[in-house]
Amino acid sequence: MKIEELKILRGPNYWSIRRTKLIQMKLDLQEMEQRPTNTIDGFGDRLAALFPSMYAHRCSVGEPGGFFKRVAEGTWMGHVIEHIALELQTLAGMNTGFGRTRGTGEPGKYFVVISYLEEDAGIYAAKAAVKIAEALTEGTAYDLSEDIQQLREIREDTRLGPSTGCIVEEAAKRGIPHLRLNKHSLVQLGYGVNQKRIRATIASTTGNIAVDIACDKEETKNLLGAAEIPVPRGTVVRTIAGLEEAVEKFGYPLVIKPIDGNHGKGNTTNITTWEQAEKAFESAKLYGRSVIVEKFITGFDFRILVINYKFICAALRTPASVVGDGVHTIQWLIDETNKDPRRGYGHEKVLTQITVDDSTMKMLDEKGYTLDTIPPTGELVLLKTTANLSTGGTSTDVTDEVHPENIVMCERIAKIIGLDICGIDIMAQDLQTPVSSNGGAILEVNAAPGFRMHIDPTEGLGRNVAEPVIDMLFPDRSNGRIPIIAITGTNGKTTTTRLTAHISKTAGKKVGYTTSDGVYIQNQLLMKGDCTGPISAQFVLKDPTVDFAVLECARGGILKNGLAFEHCDVGIVTNVASDHIGLGGINSVEQMARVKAVVPETVYPHGYAVLNAEDDLVYAMKKDLKCNVALFSMDENNPRIEEHCKKGGLATVYENGYISILKGTWKIRVCHVKDIPVTFEGKAVHNIANCLPSVMATYLFKSITIEDIRTGLQTFISSSITTPGRLNFFHFKHFTFLADFAHNPHGLKLLCQFVEQLDYPYKVGVISGTGDRRDEDIRELGSISAAYFDEIIIRCDKNLRGRTAEEIIALLQEGVNSVNPNIPQTVIANENLALEHIYANYKPGALYTIMCDVVAGALDKIKELKDRESGV
């Protein structure tokens, strides 16, 4: 078997709107296509033995053991690989269960689709599943433990930590979208101008000075001491001589730690001898030149969490440890402790497994112990110097025990340091009495405090500490979103996108929009090329200056990665026609409609899908939508429009020369098409059609008025700057070029119908075919051209996409000759040479209509010829 292709879907997609994180594997079963599972001796038994937990897979049978029943009856290996990949992730602590296996339309080849929690883990699981299936087929032994451990390590390396993760989850509950900005913990919450950022538990509202102070332990202690906050006596040293002075001044026991350390790194506590002090000094020096030496405060380790300068919760922290029983060794006690089902690898579970490291061995050595020592019954043997949960420590919630005076003190500390998310470490006998009077002290103030000990304490009540963070970042229950209009369809997407963006800008919006020729932020072209996929959409949504997004969403991006957003406010579908059929597993126009339907299916329930009432496939989408629906049509008497509006629905129509909004039984005339430049006085019928969804989409926003829409329509000029590759005229002295991106039969016919209305004595079509389209599609381009032009020039695209130039030319000629074998035809394969030929051999007064392949390249060449004519 062979994996031909892996696609990572990160948003709403062809397979699922709700399950946005999917791996799509294109798998060639090769000879296994002829070997369903019931024909492979012992396959089912070996599968069940290797994956006994797979009994829980119900599959289409709908009951436990259902999948094993399917295997016994006979199913194809793609289906088996789907289930293996899902179970691998579950065994590694990533419980995920959505899968699909469907034919691609090619014999023996399947799309195997699996959900994932962590992208890299999903990819690994997909590849490993194929190897495991092959081993099961061949009857060779396979050790799952290596794959499971590798998946765990991938998960820990790539997942958001528990602190960041709980903030993101809380944001999601509030409907606040998020974007992960790097492989680590930098996350954007919200879109555009309304975004906030977090990195671990540092927020974009957190002051840089406050973080600097918190990271400087001596500076922190000085500020707190000056404010009469109890802190340990101590000093900063850099040399052994300085260490000697500190020991003499403060006496034992001591704590030695780096001045700017974190997470307990380099810390040594309860130092009682000079030898220990020297070792601790060298250990701390590994993390910085300056070292803090301070009096060791005895008591219990408490962590107080203050958010937005308000006390939230408190936890008692205990370092990783075991309790002797007088019978077993320390190693046995560690192993037994790690059997606790609450302990897992990394942040997999509530508690982390205890590992033995150099720090552990050092602590045991100082007590004269080894891992083989049998401690007395009841003795607490500490295994780590710090009480971090990530090293096996435990936590107990003590929020309800904190004395009011301690609450006031901690809120003061957060204000003194200036930290809006603040973790305060206190050593004291308890928090039920004031720290100022029970001999306790403030040890540290932490920026980016961990939340895990509070959300999942070992004992006591878990606290939703993410909620006050979200309340601070997004007050008044705001959701951080900006309006999104998403536009899809076969033809007209780019013009509709540009016109919608232009109207929105006219209304004062700071618009970011994506098109097939680039990404624009407030009318500035920032990315060139086909930018209709999710990366370009995210570029807009990440921009902090944008307050309104208009996003063109093409087939390719949806199939390759899914959409960049989970929800939009308005979703437009212009039409669905026969283009790109046979690519990416989409083998019919009905399947293509399913791809396009992804956009309206993501519209919020309070939002609107704007659908073409004249297109049967588009209109049919309305039955599966959970949002409001508005329609548009070039015919106000369209029965679908009439029925819709009788029920109080909204529509835009072309009637009596006007673009009008129908609101129930009321009609609002917006603008006469002769006053809309992009319609060329009504001759460009397809651009009248493109105006209709733009008008409706913008009308749906209360902040955009009818006057804004009218002004936008009247000021949107079609040119090579505002609409590159869309009806771009270049008037030379003796002839005219018309450049357009029409690249499929539906689009070319609309273009030709426009050209037919133009008053030119001679019309020449410069046509080409796209190599990855079906034979019949390329032929149809030729036949349409022959029906409308007086002469044909055939050229080839720069990218032949899997065919030879000769093949494409032959198919175009077949189409031309099927309609008019006598029409003059010239073949000039290179686009630039074809344009040069026209310039040198033009027919006076002729219109040369060129189907652009690379829009920018064609326009640049035409402009070059124009300059040449002008003598520039």
Side-chain angles (χ1 to χ4, degrees):
M1 292 181 287
K2 180 183 177 183
I3 298 174
E4 291 193 346
E5 182 181 60
L6 278 175
K7 289 181 178 178
I8 304 163
L9 307 177
R10 303 182 181 93
N13 56 77
Y14 180 75
W15 303 101
S16 177
I17 300 302
R18 187 165 54 88
R19 299 173 181 90
T20 59
K21 300 169 76 170
L22 301 176
I23 302 291
Q24 176 184 301
M25 172 169 53
K26 186 178 181 182
L27 181 67
D28 185 350
L29 294 187
Q30 298 176 333
E31 69 273 7
M32 294 305 297
E33 171 69 359
Q34 307 305 321
R35 299 184 67 190
T37 53
N38 62 339
T39 67
I40 304 171
D41 289 342
F43 182 88
D45 293 337
R46 291 191 292 273
L47 177 67
L50 191 61
F51 292 100
S53 55
M54 205 179 279
Y55 181 78
H57 291 212
R58 305 168 72 90
C59 203
S60 57
V61 179
E63 60 185 36
F67 175 62
F68 285 154
K69 185 179 289 187
R70 289 289 309 278
V71 171
E73 294 170 350
T75 189
W76 268 258
M77 203 54 65
H79 185 203
V80 174
I81 287 167
E82 169 200 326
H83 281 264
I84 292 175
L86 292 172
E87 188 62 17
L88 273 176
Q89 294 179 83
T90 298
L91 292 173
M94 293 167 283
N95 193 9
T96 185
F98 177 81
R100 292 286 185 273
T101 301
R102 299 289 185 268
T104 66
E106 302 174 67
K109 295 184 180 182
Y110 294 84
F111 287 129
V112 178
V113 179
I114 59 166
S115 56
Y116 65 86
L117 297 184
E118 301 301 326
E119 187 175 296
D120 291 347
I123 294 170
Y124 183 96
K127 293 178 179 178
V130 176
K131 295 177 184 177
I132 293 169
E134 289 173 338
L136 289 169
T137 301
E138 295 163 5
T140 56
Y142 195 96
D143 183 3
L144 278 184
S145 60
E146 183 178 336
D147 285 334
I148 292 171
Q149 181 58 27
Q150 185 65 33
L151 282 166
R152 285 173 171 162
E153 292 177 10
I154 291 171
R155 179 199 67 208
E156 292 305 304
D157 286 342
T158 59
R159 73 189 295 190
L160 290 173
S163 301
T164 314
C166 75
I167 295 173
V168 170
E169 288 171 12
E170 185 63 28
K173 291 177 188 175
R174 285 262 295 269
I176 299 168
H178 77 276
L179 296 170
R180 194 167 178 177
L181 299 179
N182 62 14
K183 287 279 189 179
H184 305 291
S185 57
L186 183 62
V187 177
Q188 175 183 316
L189 302 176
Y191 291 148
V193 296
N194 295 326
Q195 67 179 270
K196 304 291 184 184
R197 292 180 183 176
I198 57 169
R199 183 165 61 190
T201 58
I202 294 178
S204 50
T205 55
T206 305
N208 186 55
I209 293 176
V211 174
D212 282 348
I213 292 171
C215 290
D216 187 327
K217 300 186 191 317
E218 184 66 12
E219 186 71 41
T220 298
K221 192 166 72 170
N222 290 340
L223 284 173
L224 296 183
E228 294 299 322
I229 303 292
V231 294
R233 294 169 57 235
T235 188
V236 176
V237 302
R238 293 182 175 82
T239 63
I240 288 292
L243 178 63
E244 289 176 345
E245 291 179 11
V247 170
E248 184 175 344
K249 180 177 180 180
F250 302 114
Y252 299 114
L254 293 171
V255 174
I256 295 179
K257 54 189 176 182
I259 195 168
D260 54 359
N262 55 60
H263 301 295
K265 294 176 181 176
N267 290 12
T268 306
T269 60
N270 200 19
I271 297 164
T272 57
T273 68
W274 174 251
E275 182 180 9
Q276 290 176 349
E278 281 188 304
K279 288 182 179 179
F281 178 74
E282 294 303 323
S283 177
K285 291 274 284 186
L286 295 174
Y287 296 93
R289 293 178 56 214
S290 300
V291 172
I292 291 177
V293 180
E294 61 188 22
K295 194 68 177 176
F296 178 64
I297 306 297
T298 58
F300 296 98
D301 185 348
F302 295 98
R303 164 63 66 82
I304 307 292
L305 184 63
V306 177
I307 296 174
N308 203 18
Y309 308 108
K310 296 294 183 183
F311 168 80
I312 301 299
C313 56
L316 167 65
R317 304 188 298 174
T318 305
S321 60
V322 292
V323 178
D325 61 3
V327 177
H328 296 99
T329 66
I330 291 173
Q331 182 63 66
W332 187 94
L333 293 169
I334 293 172
D335 294 340
E336 198 66 15
T337 300
N338 282 337
K339 290 179 182 178
D340 185 336
R342 295 176 300 171
R343 291 190 181 270
Y345 180 83
H347 296 311
E348 179 181 43
K349 297 181 180 178
V350 174
L351 297 174
T352 300
Q353 291 188 343
I354 300 171
T355 57
V356 175
D357 57 15
D358 291 342
S359 172
T360 306
M361 298 307 296
K362 178 182 174 184
M363 292 185 71
L364 293 176
D365 183 60
E366 288 172 354
K367 290 177 64 69
Y369 284 2
T370 69
L371 292 172
D372 294 324
T373 298
I374 299 174
T377 300
E379 180 184 348
L380 180 69
V381 181
L382 297 179
L383 302 171
K384 303 292 180 183
T385 58
T386 61
N388 294 332
L389 268 66
S390 59
T391 58
T394 61
S395 68
T396 301
D397 179 72
V398 294
T399 302
D400 298 329
E401 301 175 10
V402 182
H403 192 280
E405 192 171 307
N406 290 334
I407 291 176
V408 172
M409 177 189 69
C410 290
E411 291 178 348
R412 278 191 70 222
I413 289 170
K415 281 283 189 179
I416 290 165
I417 303 303
L419 275 178
D420 56 3
I421 303 176
C422 180
I424 302 167
D425 292 341
I426 299 176
M427 185 66 72
Q429 291 302 316
D430 60 67
L431 293 180
Q432 294 170 317
T433 56
V435 173
S436 58
S437 60
N438 67 12
I442 309 305
L443 302 185
E444 290 184 10
V445 177
N446 298 276
F451 285 0
R452 186 182 176 198
M453 70 187 79
H454 304 296
I455 57 179
D456 282 317
T458 315
E459 296 179 29
L461 187 64
R463 308 286 174 168
N464 183 3
V465 297
E467 185 176 23
V469 174
I470 296 300
D471 287 340
M472 176 183 73
L473 296 176
F474 298 94
D476 303 321
R477 306 295 294 178
S478 59
N479 56 35
R481 300 194 297 255
I482 61 173
I484 297 175
I485 298 176
I487 299 164
T488 194
T490 300
N491 291 305
K493 298 186 298 296
T494 299
T495 299
T496 301
T497 299
R498 286 181 168 277
L499 181 54
T500 303
H502 180 76
I503 293 170
S504 304
K505 284 183 289 184
T506 301
K509 308 298 184 184
K510 295 177 180 176
V511 182
Y513 63 100
T514 62
T515 70
S516 57
D517 50 75
V519 176
Y520 296 77
I521 303 293
Q522 297 192 57
N523 235 24
Q524 298 296 311
L525 177 61
L526 297 184
M527 291 176 67
K528 287 186 177 181
D530 187 347
C531 296
T532 56
I535 293 176
S536 303
Q538 283 196 1
F539 184 92
V540 169
L541 299 175
K542 289 175 183 177
D543 193 285
T545 68
V546 171
D547 64 13
F548 201 96
V550 182
L551 308 174
E552 180 178 347
C553 304
R555 164 209 65 92
I558 296 172
L559 288 175
K560 185 177 181 181
N561 296 118
L563 294 175
F565 48 87
E566 292 194 6
H567 299 286
C568 61
D569 297 274
V570 177
I572 295 173
V573 186
T574 58
N575 45 64
V576 177
S578 180
D579 190 24
H580 298 97
I581 304 300
L583 301 177
I586 304 304
N587 301 308
S588 69
V589 70
E590 288 76 19
Q591 285 183 304
M592 184 62 71
R594 178 71 196 90
V595 177
K596 306 295 186 181
V598 171
V599 168
E601 287 175 1
T602 64
V603 175
Y604 286 110
H606 63 267
Y608 275 83
V610 180
L611 306 179
N612 186 344
E614 297 174 4
D615 189 307
D616 293 344
L617 291 171
V618 175
Y619 182 76
M621 294 176 187
K622 69 192 290 289
K623 70 178 184 297
D624 295 323
L625 298 180
K626 306 278 192 300
C627 62
N628 301 299
V629 173
L631 301 177
F632 64 94
S633 172
M634 290 291 287
D635 177 12
E636 71 168 326
N637 297 315
N638 182 312
R640 291 168 176 171
I641 295 288
E642 291 179 337
E643 180 187 2
H644 179 71
C645 291
K646 280 179 183 177
K647 296 176 181 179
L650 292 171
T652 41
V653 297
Y654 174 54
E655 53 86 22
N656 295 312
Y658 285 89
I659 289 177
S660 298
I661 296 170
L662 304 183
K663 191 175 182 181
T665 58
W666 293 94
K667 181 184 295 182
I668 305 170
R669 283 185 168 169
V670 179
C671 195
H672 198 285
V673 295
K674 289 192 175 181
D675 296 325
I676 303 174
V678 75
T679 72
F680 292 87
E681 296 189 331
K683 294 185 179 72
V685 176
H686 61 292
N687 271 351
I688 298 175
N690 290 335
C691 289
L692 299 176
S694 293
V695 168
M696 176 52 69
T698 49
Y699 174 73
L700 292 170
F701 292 91
K702 292 181 179 178
S703 58
I704 300 178
T705 67
I706 292 292
E707 189 54 43
D708 292 328
I709 297 171
R710 183 179 295 114
T711 301
L713 291 172
Q714 292 173 345
T715 57
F716 185 66
I717 309 297
S718 180
S719 72
S720 61
I721 303 299
T722 58
T723 56
R726 275 77 185 171
L727 300 187
N728 299 154
F729 283 90
F730 296 87
H731 298 287
F732 286 68
K733 292 178 180 177
H734 303 294
F735 68 97
T736 299
F737 272 126
L738 169 58
D740 196 272
F741 186 56
H743 59 285
N744 57 56
H746 181 260
L748 179 60
K749 189 162 187 177
L750 292 172
L751 173 64
C752 288
Q753 288 171 347
F754 168 65
V755 170
E756 186 179 33
Q757 298 182 66
L758 301 179
D759 188 20
Y760 287 89
Y762 196 76
K763 298 171 184 176
V764 181
V766 184
I767 68 171
S768 62
T770 306
D772 59 3
R773 303 305 200 272
R774 299 175 301 176
D775 289 0
E776 56 265 40
D777 296 329
I778 299 175
R779 289 193 193 96
E780 191 175 358
L781 292 173
S783 62
I784 291 170
S785 300
Y788 286 93
F789 293 110
D790 301 307
E791 181 182 337
I792 301 292
I793 296 175
I794 297 175
R795 62 164 193 82
C796 285
D797 289 347
K798 189 174 183 179
N799 184 352
L800 299 177
R801 304 190 190 190
R803 293 186 189 258
T804 65
E806 290 74 19
E807 283 181 275
I808 296 171
I809 291 167
L811 288 169
L812 288 169
Q813 288 177 324
E814 286 179 28
V816 170
N817 293 332
S818 68
V819 173
N820 185 359
N822 299 317
I823 190 172
Q825 300 177 45
T826 305
V827 176
I828 305 174
N830 181 276
E831 182 176 72
N832 283 348
L833 292 179
L835 294 172
E836 288 281 2
H837 170 81
I838 293 168
Y839 181 78
N841 302 279
Y842 63 83
K843 286 184 170 56
L847 173 68
Y848 291 87
T849 302
I850 179 169
M851 295 170 56
C852 300
D853 167 29
V854 180
V855 171
L859 298 185
D860 286 346
K861 182 61 181 179
I862 294 172
K863 289 173 184 176
E864 175 196 320
L865 295 173
K866 184 69 173 168
D867 290 342
R868 190 188 305 173
E869 183 188 61
S870 303
V872 175

